[in-house]
Amino acid sequence: MNSTPWLSIIGLGEDGVEGLPAAARALLEGAEAVFGGQRHLALAAGHIRGSAHPWPSPMLAGLPTLLARRGRPTAVLASGDPFCFGIGATLARHVPPEEFLCLPAPSAFALACARLGWAMQDCATLSFCGRPLERLVPLLQPGARILALSADAETPAQVAALLRGLGLGPTRMAVLEAMGGPRERRHDTTAAGFAHAPDPLNMLALEVVPGPGARVLPLAPGLPEDAFEQDGQITKREVRAVTLAMLAPRQGELLWDIGCGSGSVAIEWMLRHPANRAIGLEPRPERAAQAARNALALGVPGLRLVRQAAPDGLAGLPAPDAVFVGGGGARPGVLEAAWEALRPGGRLVANAVTLETEAVLYAAQDRWGGALARLGVERLDRVGAMRAFRPAMTVTQYAAEKPMAGSGETLSPQRWGPGEAAPPLAVAGLGARPGVSASAVVALVREAEQRSGLRVGALAAPWFRRDVAALTEAAATLGLPLHWVEEEALSAAQPRCPTPSETARRATGYAAIAEGCALALGGRLALPRIAGEGVTCALSVEE
């Protein structure tokens, strides 16, 4: 691999090339091709000696042209710090760090803090470029300082309206326009009094001040029921708080919320950390729509909803780190499918109020271990002219953690006999060409089992091959779950892959797909990449 950087990622301010250090200017002028937005190319026009390539829309469509230039002097222009809500992270997913050199300029956040006299470590930062405004809602705590990149000239007025609607009209707003250039301006106001037409290139600085009756999300789990639009089918706040504690959310984890109803558990899971993800299964369209509205209103618009019932609706979903079964637990195969899909070390929590579902939970505890608890809540109510505590329906809660592979504990009740220790189950990572056949995939997975002496318990393939029907057919033939590895997980696994392929990198942007998919779900590589007809396979097992 070429160790000399061929790609220069140059941060550009509103002062243009004049604000660049000499080294950045030399790289720009020496590039055979320069990629960037129209505004950036215009700012640097007098110093571009090679060909200029404006990014298409969507921008990702221009990456193949850029990557085809590997090894030849190429520059990319970006705003300020390319790795601060910029193109840097996208490029780094396709170009190894040793192949690029980044020369950042001050970010818009750094410039804003310098203008305002704020310490950046005390500020929350976010971008509204291509992102919903509602992501702001969880950050709106009294006294919080927030810096946000605007999408356009309309963003400040939209944010002001959002703040007023939440009772945060006294919040102080500073609109900072075209910072670092000749058009720089600053406008100070409040959300209640906002009336300004800013430059399209602007950012917002907020100091949150609640008004009377302001709706501020508490930081603890267990939001009141009236925080959600719901039809009465909702996990009560006291039970929900205990449920979240047993699910034990951790940064970046994925939750399946089966029978999500109003979405309350999934939404509170996502509120625990901005990187947390959730998929809610809700077959009733009116409840799914309700959950989507709740997620947007409470600041987690990324909640993904599947309008199907389990277990059928679970097929093809990415493997979860935790599963909550709040409805449909008595349906045959639901708990089994959830347990099978759960990552080793993941948590399963299921709540029951009916005897039929309780019986399923008792059986699950017999097979998988874990804990059973009864949760009872009584609330004060009127009884005629007097008062008394009225009990809600008692909830039976089952909670279990799936053992790690190779621990000697049973991983799946469907595969091993009572008391029989399960051998380590391997994850088969797959790289496939679009025209591959299902039989070729099945044959290579079985060959991998023979070579390694391991038994495959799950398949993993890259998200961009979802439309390859042979992968789904092969999983059905083998009787194994198929997990789609998302872009971030596949990128993160690349440095650990021992047999990178330049052919694969040129075709997909990733040098090791089969090994990357295997490592994204498992702990260590047990079988490096082997090849079949139109397919590659690698095996991993948990440490």
Side-chain angles (χ1 to χ4, degrees):
M1 183 179 293
N2 184 7
S3 60
T4 302
W6 59 272
L7 179 63
S8 304
I9 309 174
I10 300 171
L12 199 62
E14 279 300 289
D15 51 356
V17 176
E18 289 69 22
L20 291 179
R25 193 178 302 120
L27 289 169
L28 172 63
E29 294 173 348
E32 295 177 4
V34 179
F35 292 74
Q38 293 282 8
R39 182 170 64 87
H40 299 128
L41 294 174
L43 284 170
H47 295 262
I48 296 176
R49 307 287 183 254
S51 56
H53 299 263
W55 290 121
S57 182
M59 191 211 74
L60 290 178
L63 282 182
T65 304
L66 173 69
L67 297 174
R69 298 190 52 80
R70 179 172 264 108
R72 298 156 64 189
T74 305
V76 170
L77 297 176
S79 294
D81 182 351
F83 281 90
C84 183
F85 291 102
I87 194 175
T90 299
L91 294 175
R93 287 197 289 268
H94 299 274
V95 181
E98 61 269 20
E99 294 188 29
F100 67 79
L101 177 66
C102 180
L103 293 92
S107 70
F109 298 116
L111 292 174
C113 287
R115 304 294 190 268
L116 298 163
W118 291 2
M120 190 180 297
Q121 66 268 21
D122 296 332
C123 301
T125 59
L126 75 161
S127 171
F128 294 130
C129 300
R131 299 170 176 87
L133 295 182
E134 286 77 10
R135 289 184 181 273
L136 181 64
V137 173
L139 302 177
L140 297 174
Q141 297 294 317
R145 285 179 167 176
I146 302 168
L147 298 172
L149 296 170
S150 292
D152 52 34
E154 305 301 321
T155 302
Q158 293 167 349
V159 170
L162 175 65
L163 293 169
R164 292 194 298 270
L166 293 171
L168 298 168
T171 293
R172 291 184 283 274
M173 299 179 65
V175 185
L176 305 166
E177 306 171 34
M179 287 184 293
R183 296 181 295 112
E184 180 171 339
R185 286 193 308 170
R186 171 176 170 176
H187 179 75
D188 292 279
T189 182
T190 64
F194 186 87
H196 178 59
D199 188 279
L201 184 63
N202 72 83
M203 77 173 302
L204 290 170
L206 308 176
E207 285 188 282
V208 180
V209 181
R215 296 194 296 280
V216 175
L217 291 180
L219 298 177
L223 295 177
E225 285 92 71
D226 61 11
F228 301 91
E229 179 188 341
Q230 39 100 5
D231 58 8
Q233 294 297 312
I234 185 173
T235 304
K236 298 299 185 283
R237 67 183 303 185
E238 298 87 351
V239 174
R240 195 180 332 118
V242 174
T243 298
L244 266 293
M246 300 308 292
L247 287 168
R250 298 158 190 166
Q251 177 179 335
E253 289 189 326
L254 172 65
L255 171 75
W256 284 1
D257 185 351
I258 297 175
C260 75
S262 65
S264 61
V265 170
I267 289 168
E268 293 219 41
W269 167 279
M270 296 178 72
L271 284 171
R272 304 281 65 79
H273 194 279
N276 284 7
R277 299 160 295 140
I279 299 174
L281 269 79
E282 178 49 65
R284 298 174 179 83
E286 67 280 1
R287 285 185 180 168
Q290 201 175 72
R293 291 192 294 270
N294 284 330
L296 187 64
L298 293 169
V300 287
L303 173 61
R304 176 181 169 188
L305 290 160
V306 176
R307 295 186 180 181
Q308 287 182 269
D312 294 344
L314 303 176
L317 297 182
D321 301 287
V323 177
F324 173 58
V325 183
R331 190 177 297 115
V334 170
L335 256 62
E336 289 79 5
W339 183 262
E340 184 71 26
L342 191 63
R343 291 181 187 273
R347 289 83 62 202
L348 171 67
V349 177
N351 291 350
V353 294
T354 66
L355 293 175
E356 289 77 9
T357 307
E358 276 192 359
V360 173
L361 301 189
Y362 295 148
Q365 201 266 346
D366 286 340
R367 289 177 290 177
W368 303 322
L372 281 165
R374 278 250 169 109
L375 307 176
V377 176
E378 297 183 4
R379 292 180 177 177
L380 191 66
D381 200 359
R382 302 295 305 186
V383 180
M386 307 180 76
R387 296 181 297 167
F389 282 96
R390 192 180 300 278
M393 295 184 73
T394 300
V395 175
T396 299
Q397 185 175 85
Y398 172 62
E401 182 173 313
K402 186 171 181 177
M404 302 297 287
S407 66
E409 299 180 64
T410 300
L411 282 179
S412 169
Q414 298 174 323
R415 294 178 184 266
W416 323 112
E420 184 180 350
L425 292 179
V427 173
L430 300 172
R433 293 177 182 170
V436 69
S437 67
S439 59
V441 176
V442 171
L444 193 62
V445 170
R446 288 176 174 157
E447 180 183 342
E449 288 182 318
Q450 291 174 354
R451 289 196 190 191
S452 65
L454 295 168
R455 183 169 182 177
V456 171
L459 306 179
W463 87 98
F464 55 79
R465 292 291 188 241
R466 286 181 190 272
D467 57 346
V468 177
L471 293 172
T472 306
E473 294 171 14
T477 301
L478 293 164
L480 297 175
L482 173 60
H483 305 297
W484 297 109
V485 177
E486 300 296 334
E487 182 177 6
E488 290 184 4
L490 183 57
S491 298
Q494 293 299 297
R496 299 168 57 202
C497 300
T499 63
S501 163
E502 281 303 313
T503 300
R505 189 196 297 276
R506 286 194 296 271
T508 67
Y510 297 95
I513 295 175
E515 292 172 347
C517 288
L519 289 170
L521 268 71
R524 63 176 176 83
L525 204 63
L527 178 70
R529 170 172 54 91
I530 61 174
E533 188 175 345
V535 61
T536 56
C537 179
L539 301 186
S540 69
V541 294
E542 288 290 338
E543 297 285 3

